[in-house]
Amino acid sequence: LIVECLNGYRTKERMPKNLSSFKIPVGISEVVNEGTDITLVSYGSTLNICLQVVKEWEQEGISVEVVDVRTLLPLDTTEICLNSLRKTNRLVIIDEDVPGGASAYILDHILNKQGGYQYLDAAPVTLTAKPHLPAYGTDGDYFSKPSAEDIFEVIYNVMSEAFPARFPKI
């Protein structure tokens, strides 16, 4: 079963030159941005939004690692998410599904099945869509699904816990 996010169809990308040999391994996550201060785990359309926010945080001196889980079943069979959490000690999972959906599944997998709970220096956070049917189009997405501003704010709050003088509570 393959689930595609509708927002992926709105994304413009260049056609790969190696299209005939282009394959995504099932169950293997990928670190798409190296970082040391906080781990963002995502997939699908929210992954591109995460990568936009990374650039803003780099200007603030925060190094954000972004992991694309790529497949949910099986999920992260080589423990890339765990290794990232082991390095950063802070975890945010971003997903366009409703609360308690895929983000809860990913969180459970990293913390309980992989044993990531022992590496946390801050409470893990999930950022999901609102629990309602979104309006169609980009306006509906902005108000219903995680936006760049939402992701920036969640990272700020996690970093505020670690460095309250540098990131005071808003």
Side-chain angles (χ1 to χ4, degrees):
L1 176 64
I2 296 174
V3 178
E4 294 180 322
C5 56
L6 293 176
N7 289 336
Y9 292 117
R10 295 186 195 128
T11 304
K12 303 292 183 220
E13 296 178 341
R14 292 177 40 186
M15 178 75 76
K17 300 227 185 280
N18 63 341
L19 194 57
S20 63
S21 63
F22 188 71
K23 296 178 180 152
I24 295 177
V26 176
I28 309 294
S29 299
E30 177 184 24
V31 175
V32 292
N33 193 78
E34 295 277 340
T36 57
D37 295 319
I38 189 167
T39 297
L40 299 185
V41 176
S42 188
Y43 69 97
S45 63
T46 54
L47 181 71
N48 290 331
I49 301 170
C50 291
L51 292 173
Q52 292 171 8
V53 174
V54 164
K55 294 173 187 168
E56 295 175 38
W57 277 108
E58 285 174 352
Q59 295 172 356
E60 300 296 323
I62 298 298
S63 177
V64 180
E65 181 141 306
V66 180
V67 177
D68 180 1
V69 294
R70 303 198 293 189
T71 63
L72 295 176
L73 289 171
L75 175 64
D76 195 32
T77 59
T78 56
E79 297 187 343
I80 289 173
C81 293
L82 178 66
N83 291 331
S84 179
L85 177 57
R86 194 179 280 140
K87 180 173 32 169
T88 67
N89 305 110
R90 294 174 193 86
L91 177 64
V92 176
I93 298 169
I94 297 146
D95 176 32
E96 70 175 1
D97 197 3
V98 295
S103 59
Y105 172 72
I106 294 167
L107 181 65
D108 177 64
H109 187 84
I110 296 169
L111 296 187
N112 297 321
K113 290 188 175 70
Q114 293 182 344
Y117 66 90
Q118 61 190 321
Y119 302 108
L120 289 171
D121 286 345
V125 178
T126 59
L127 178 61
T128 65
K130 308 291 186 287
H132 65 253
L133 293 173
Y136 183 73
T138 55
D139 289 346
D141 287 347
Y142 181 81
F143 291 105
S144 298
K145 298 178 181 180
S147 66
E149 292 85 3
D150 295 333
I151 296 169
F152 190 92
E153 184 178 331
V154 164
I155 294 172
Y156 186 94
N157 291 337
V158 172
M159 297 311 294
S160 175
E161 185 179 330
F163 305 104
R166 189 165 165 204
F167 303 103
K169 292 278 185 197
I170 297 176

